[in-house]
Amino acid sequence: MAQHQLRGVLNVIDDCSFKVSQFDMLEGSDVRWWGAVGDHLENLTKGFVVSEQKLNKTYKSDGFVVKLMNNVTWDDINVLAVWDLPMASDFGHVVLRNLTNGTEFLAPLPSLVNGTVIKGNGMPTMFNNCKVLADNYRVRWSLNEEHDVIEIGLEAAIGFLSYMAFGWANPNASSSFMMGGDVTVTGFKEDLSPFADDYFITKYSECMISKDGRVEGVCPDTIYEGSDPVGLVNNTRLVYGQRKDGVSFIRFRKPLKSMDTKYDLQLNQNATMRVIWALGLIKPPDSLRPFYLPQNHGGSYGHLTLNVSEHIDDCLGPLDAEDKQDQDLVIADKKGPLVVSTGPAVFYPNPPNPSKVLYINKKEAPLLRVERGVQVKFSIQAGHDVAFYITSDPLGGNATLRNMSETIYFGGPEAQGVQATPTELVWAPDRNTPDLVYYQSLYAQKMGWKVQVVDAGLPDMYNSSVVLDDQQVTFFWTLAENSISIAARGEKKSGYLAIGFGRGMVNSYAYVGWVDDTGNGKVSTYWIDGRDASNIHPTNENLTHARCKSENGIITMEFTRPLRPSCDLDDKPECNNIVDPTTPLKVIWAMGAQWSDDHLSVRNMHSVTSSRPIRVLLMRGSAEAEEDLRPVLAVHGFMMFLAWGILLPGGILAARYLKHIKGDGWFQIHVYLQYSGLSIVFLGFLFAVAELRGLSFSSLHVKFGMLAIVLAIAQPINAYLRPKKPGAAEEVSSKRRVWEYIHVIVGRGAIVVGIAALITGMKHLGERYGDEDVHRLMWALILWILVGVLTVIYLEYRERKKRRDRISGRSNWVLGSGEEEDTDLLSPSQAMAEKDSGSSDCMEVQLEPMGR
């Protein structure tokens, strides 16, 4: 099988005919029996039609005899294929000679006649038995009693995000057959590589690991037992896996008698045993659970009795999936160039193919969708041996060399380049461009794939668009007077797409688009205030023109919402979800396997998400990455706290309460602390402005901060202009007194405004990042301020008590020199009152003789 679900058994009858039985094939366009000298691309494309019979219908386990053409003999045919002529496509083939890849080797012609049967021994899709489990699910198997193993193939017409499970029920169970079941869970990883692992069912739930290490649910055997280096616990062996035509197929091998008696059931091939099966969505591994997590099967499950030694084949015809397109989809728009490169052929959609094929935006031979009238820019980096072009020929490689005609719509010999020096070319499909063309290489056949040319798409419907973080989601929007129309399109396959307004998913307003089980697209709104499913709260935003669709697993959702909700801000959470076009809108995204209207649980958690928000400038029609400025703001905040919370208040306290120190020690401390604080303020200010690339006065914090800096700058200027200090017997001049008032008021005002800047700065940091550490730091700052206030109150109380004692005579007076070392610049009126009291009031002193 190469594609179209081709299976069958070939029996060569004689020199000019062969018989085909058990023949399955999905309908093609112009399909013929094809002969070639080899099974590689060059040989198959140079092959020839060997029979007049046309295979232009769907075959369901059919049998018939095919006559070779008169001019064809078996000597000419080394490979017999089922071939689609228009697309040069191999649906499947049998190698009659010189096969070396492990399948049956057949000698030349004499051994091919006389009833020789080619059963496809070694062909991974062929089995001896087949049982229908559901309309879209089958199990195939073959017993190998010689090696005591059973080979099982599971195939289902399901999405690539789904799993297939099959196994044996607990033989002691009379009901609830899933409990205690030994099943193999199979599926495909995100890179479309297959997997098959042993699972054991202890509970009807997703596999959960509790804090005490207890494991329950549908879990891999290895999780119950820890590491499994020798493969005794997980003894399921993957043999082969493919995904073709929308059908998943995985073949694996299990021993009939397992050494793992705890989590594996022993299989008796001669007994009738109950088997269980299920289909459902699967969640990829994460950091907490590094294994694939089968989700609830949603009703696609069952059980039946089966004896694997009995021959059974009730599978009639191939599985026919509704959605057969599994290839990646790349949608071109006018924003960014499409990067054309080359890489290995792994999942090329149109076999046979060369070993190297074209990649677009790092995706292997994707289906490319372009829009008429929209220019598409290509950045060609595929090498000088690849000339990129758009052609009407599905094979490419210059059709004229095959005596064929083609129409070239774009590109040619000049469309080549490398990564260091790419060639950028622009193509504008017009109304005359056919709906289907092909991108190929001019120098080699079948390196590219299809180009769908469609009318009007999202880029034409919306005024602006940007690509969000990690290049996985495109965000479109159009602004109106009172509303905004938004669309979001994923660039990879998923079960749902979510975008959110906020720095992270926590404390964000989310919009989730998905397609439910009935095929209806839905868009729902949520307020998220935590990391658990219980923290996702549905909201009732006024969305209009909401729709969602899924094409080949690519989710696109659209909706229109008012810029300002029509409700009170404190009424509901969604009332605060205001979109201000003049303010950057922080947008994040997430994708996952499954979503639903209600009963959200851990299985609805995203599998991939943006690593940081993108700041979308709605008015400009552009975007910029949201930088994590917390380290910058942390350094800025620490410097400002050191200045406004320690040094500058310390300088004021020194001037107020350290004047009892002899000499001018208090003054030196005051000056050194103030200038040190001012220096740190300037450094913190310049650091923040440089890292934030500018200064904006839009926030209260910046306004307080700038006012505090202006007041702080005024203090050294004020000190430089201070009037001369009066002598011992001189009156204080009015200029000196005014200066003292200004110095005190500006200094105290600078401290108050500086502390306000600290608090608003912490509040601004919390609103921007919402970290719990910010809230703790805010309380620590408030506590520090309270301690400072209480300390000042205590020192002020002691100072005033000392002065009262001094005035009333209860203190021990020392007749000094009359110098003003006790003058209080912070309370000049009080100081002058004390001075006037001592100089103008008469004091009566009674002298008594000392006792001897």
Side-chain angles (χ1 to χ4, degrees):
M1 181 193 299
Q3 53 183 318
H4 280 245
Q5 298 301 298
L6 184 75
R7 281 187 177 91
V9 177
L10 174 68
N11 185 323
V12 177
I13 299 176
D14 52 37
D15 289 349
C16 56
S17 62
F18 60 92
K19 180 182 178 181
V20 177
S21 57
Q22 303 173 39
F23 187 67
D24 289 347
M25 189 191 78
L26 295 175
E27 183 179 0
S29 56
D30 187 7
V31 185
R32 308 292 289 272
W33 293 104
W34 189 261
V37 297
D39 60 347
H40 298 295
L41 171 64
E42 184 177 358
N43 292 325
L44 281 173
T45 54
K46 292 180 179 179
F48 49 93
V49 176
V50 301
S51 172
E52 298 289 348
Q53 182 183 14
K54 295 182 179 181
L55 305 171
N56 295 337
K57 68 174 186 177
T58 294
Y59 291 85
K60 300 180 178 181
S61 302
D62 290 331
F64 47 84
V65 174
V66 181
K67 295 284 187 178
L68 298 181
M69 290 181 174
N70 294 333
N71 60 343
V72 175
T73 68
W74 289 113
D75 292 332
D76 304 322
I77 305 173
N78 291 339
V79 175
L80 181 65
V82 177
W83 189 260
D84 182 87
L85 293 178
M87 294 297 297
S89 251
D90 178 22
F91 285 8
H93 60 262
V94 172
V95 179
L96 304 180
R97 294 181 179 84
N98 302 325
L99 191 60
T100 59
N101 292 329
T103 52
E104 183 175 335
F105 176 86
L106 296 177
L109 183 61
S111 299
L112 287 175
V113 295
N114 301 323
T116 301
V117 176
I118 303 171
K119 293 184 178 179
N121 295 347
M123 295 299 168
T125 58
M126 295 296 294
F127 292 85
N128 295 330
N129 306 279
C130 183
K131 179 68 178 177
V132 174
L133 301 177
D135 291 341
N136 63 335
Y137 189 22
R138 298 171 176 179
V139 59
R140 300 175 183 268
W141 73 95
S142 295
L143 273 177
N144 189 336
E145 299 185 19
E146 180 181 352
H147 295 91
D148 209 24
V149 297
I150 182 173
E151 299 222 1
I152 298 174
L154 302 179
E155 62 175 354
I158 53 177
F160 85 102
L161 293 173
S162 298
Y163 68 87
M164 301 178 290
F166 179 84
W168 277 261
N170 184 348
N172 299 320
S174 57
S175 62
S176 301
F177 297 111
M178 293 284 182
M179 291 295 296
D182 169 25
V183 299
T184 297
V185 175
T186 67
F188 290 88
K189 303 176 183 178
E190 289 188 321
D191 61 357
L192 286 182
S193 60
F195 71 89
D197 292 314
D198 260 350
Y199 280 66
F200 189 75
I201 303 174
T202 57
K203 185 180 179 181
Y204 289 130
S205 73
E206 183 180 293
C207 184
M208 302 297 293
I209 303 176
S210 60
K211 293 182 179 179
D212 59 3
R214 187 165 52 90
V215 179
E216 61 180 6
V218 183
C219 302
D221 291 5
T222 53
I223 299 302
Y224 293 107
E225 290 294 318
S227 61
D228 183 25
V230 295
L232 298 180
V233 176
N234 183 20
N235 54 22
T236 296
R237 295 292 175 264
L238 175 69
V239 176
Y240 177 79
Q242 69 178 29
R243 181 160 175 84
K244 298 181 184 295
D245 315 304
V247 176
S248 296
F249 174 86
I250 291 181
R251 180 172 184 149
F252 59 90
R253 180 184 299 119
K254 285 180 68 73
L256 295 174
K257 297 179 181 178
S258 173
M259 298 183 66
D260 176 17
T261 58
K262 191 172 183 181
Y263 299 110
D264 280 349
L265 300 175
Q266 304 302 313
L267 305 183
N268 184 348
Q269 66 267 34
N270 297 314
T272 299
M273 302 180 68
R274 187 169 297 276
V275 297
I276 52 179
W277 60 269
L279 298 173
L281 293 173
I282 196 160
K283 184 179 178 182
D286 53 37
S287 57
L288 298 178
R289 293 172 292 181
F291 46 85
Y292 281 86
L293 298 165
Q295 308 293 292
N296 189 291
H297 45 66
S300 297
Y301 71 99
H303 58 87
L304 53 91
T305 57
L306 189 67
N307 187 331
V308 295
S309 63
E310 295 179 355
H311 176 67
I312 301 174
D313 188 2
D314 61 4
C315 302
L316 179 64
L319 286 177
D320 192 358
E322 291 184 6
D323 184 4
K324 298 179 175 61
Q325 180 59 257
D326 277 332
Q327 205 66 13
D328 286 322
L329 174 66
V330 171
I331 301 176
D333 58 41
K334 54 189 175 185
K335 285 294 180 180
L338 300 177
V339 179
V340 180
S341 59
T342 57
V346 182
F347 302 108
Y348 187 77
N350 186 29
N353 52 271
S355 59
K356 182 175 73 171
V357 297
L358 290 173
Y359 281 58
I360 296 180
N361 288 358
K362 299 182 179 180
K363 296 180 178 180
E364 179 190 357
L367 175 65
L368 176 61
R369 181 174 296 165
V370 300
E371 297 165 6
R372 293 182 176 90
V374 178
Q375 290 188 342
V376 182
K377 179 185 289 186
F378 292 94
S379 177
I380 302 169
Q381 310 172 13
H384 295 302
D385 59 338
V386 175
F388 183 80
Y389 78 130
I390 308 292
T391 174
S392 60
D393 180 29
L395 273 69
N398 196 345
T400 57
L401 298 178
R402 306 191 310 273
N403 296 320
M404 302 286 289
S405 62
E406 66 178 330
T407 301
I408 297 178
Y409 299 95
F410 168 75
E414 72 284 356
Q416 54 180 279
V418 294
Q419 187 173 4
T421 56
T423 297
E424 291 195 348
L425 298 173
V426 175
W427 176 43
D430 57 30
R431 61 188 184 87
N432 296 320
T433 307
D435 293 341
L436 181 63
V437 291
Y438 304 86
Y439 63 90
Q440 295 287 358
S441 168
L442 191 64
Y443 302 144
Q445 295 181 21
K446 302 189 74 171
M447 289 188 67
W449 191 224
K450 297 178 180 179
V451 181
Q452 280 185 352
V453 184
V454 299
D455 297 322
L458 292 178
D460 295 326
M461 297 166 58
Y462 292 87
N463 292 342
S464 306
S465 67
V466 296
V467 178
L468 300 183
D469 185 49
D470 296 331
Q471 309 290 309
Q472 298 292 341
V473 175
T474 305
F475 183 78
F476 304 84
W477 75 95
T478 296
L479 281 171
E481 183 178 358
N482 298 313
S483 65
I484 181 172
S485 297
I486 293 174
R489 183 183 66 212
E491 302 298 337
K492 64 182 299 182
K493 297 178 181 180
S494 63
Y496 71 83
L497 169 64
I499 60 170
F501 297 161
R503 260 209 90 255
M505 280 296 174
V506 178
N507 295 327
S508 71
Y509 298 94
Y511 303 84
V512 182
W514 82 102
V515 178
D516 63 16
D517 295 336
T518 62
N520 295 321
K522 296 187 176 182
V523 178
S524 294
T525 62
Y526 301 88
W527 160 249
I528 304 176
D529 59 5
R531 300 186 180 278
D532 296 328
S534 59
N535 298 117
I536 304 176
H537 311 289
T539 58
N540 294 313
E541 291 197 31
N542 184 22
L543 298 187
T544 58
H545 303 98
R547 52 183 175 269
C548 180
K549 63 180 180 179
S550 176
E551 291 184 278
N552 303 325
I554 301 296
I555 299 290
T556 301
M557 66 172 168
E558 301 177 73
F559 59 89
T560 299
R561 52 149 292 173
L563 294 175
R564 181 179 292 272
S566 57
C567 55
D568 296 332
L569 294 182
D570 297 329
D571 188 15
K572 299 175 182 178
E574 59 265 29
C575 298
N576 296 303
N577 186 13
I578 299 173
V579 175
D580 183 359
T582 62
T583 303
L585 180 65
K586 298 172 186 174
V587 183
I588 53 179
W589 61 266
M591 299 183 196
Q594 181 182 15
W595 197 262
S596 61
D597 279 320
D598 50 10
H599 305 301
L600 295 176
S601 65
V602 68
R603 66 173 178 265
N604 302 118
M605 297 296 285
H606 54 70
S607 57
V608 61
T609 183
S610 54
S611 57
R612 59 180 177 176
I614 290 292
R615 290 160 51 92
V616 178
L617 309 177
L618 298 173
M619 299 289 286
R620 295 184 187 176
S622 61
E624 58 187 21
E626 171 82 353
E627 296 184 54
D628 189 355
L629 298 174
R630 280 176 290 186
V632 174
L633 299 179
V635 173
H636 168 77
F638 175 75
M639 295 173 74
M640 291 304 185
F641 170 76
L642 184 62
W644 293 107
I646 299 177
L647 296 178
L648 294 175
I652 292 178
L653 294 178
R656 174 109 177 125
Y657 303 113
L658 296 183
K659 289 182 180 174
H660 60 277
I661 299 176
K662 295 300 179 181
D664 62 350
W666 69 269
F667 183 73
Q668 297 296 330
I669 295 174
H670 172 73
V671 172
Y672 289 151
L673 288 178
Q674 298 303 88
Y675 278 112
S676 298
L678 267 177
S679 301
I680 292 177
V681 166
F682 275 111
L683 289 175
F685 170 74
L686 294 175
F687 179 77
V689 171
E691 290 296 329
L692 296 176
R693 300 179 181 88
L695 183 64
S696 172
F697 288 88
S698 59
S699 71
L700 187 62
H701 167 66
V702 175
K703 294 174 183 176
F704 273 125
M706 291 305 299
L707 179 59
I709 291 174
V710 170
L711 295 175
I713 293 174
Q715 284 298 79
I717 298 174
N718 180 284
Y720 178 76
L721 299 175
R722 71 183 181 275
K724 183 180 178 182
K725 178 181 178 182
E730 296 179 358
E731 289 286 337
V732 178
S733 66
S734 60
K735 291 183 178 181
R736 176 79 182 188
R737 190 169 297 179
V738 170
W739 174 83
E740 289 176 357
Y741 273 111
I742 294 175
H743 193 66
V744 170
I745 293 172
V746 173
R748 290 178 175 177
I751 292 300
V752 171
V753 176
I755 291 175
L758 287 178
I759 295 174
T760 55
M762 199 69 70
K763 185 173 181 292
H764 179 69
L765 186 66
E767 291 173 350
R768 182 164 184 162
Y769 293 101
D771 290 350
E772 295 181 1
D773 292 340
V774 174
H775 300 293
R776 288 195 289 265
L777 287 174
M778 173 69 87
W779 284 109
L781 176 62
I782 293 173
L783 181 62
W784 175 263
I785 294 171
L786 290 176
V787 170
V789 170
L790 293 175
T791 302
V792 170
I793 292 174
Y794 173 71
L795 292 175
E796 191 64 23
Y797 167 76
R798 286 192 56 186
E799 186 69 17
R800 291 182 181 275
K801 184 175 182 298
K802 186 194 299 183
R803 286 183 181 148
R804 284 198 303 270
D805 291 346
R806 187 179 301 154
I807 294 172
S808 62
R810 290 194 296 268
S811 299
N812 292 326
W813 285 84
V814 177
L815 299 178
S817 60
E819 294 180 356
E820 294 180 291
E821 67 269 6
D822 286 335
T823 300
D824 184 9
L825 292 178
L826 294 177
S827 186
S829 60
Q830 182 179 354
M832 292 305 299
E834 290 182 21
K835 183 175 180 179
D836 293 342
S837 173
S839 60
S840 61
D841 293 349
C842 294
M843 180 180 290
E844 183 179 341
V845 180
Q846 180 178 355
L847 301 179
E848 294 182 0
M850 297 177 64
R852 298 190 176 182

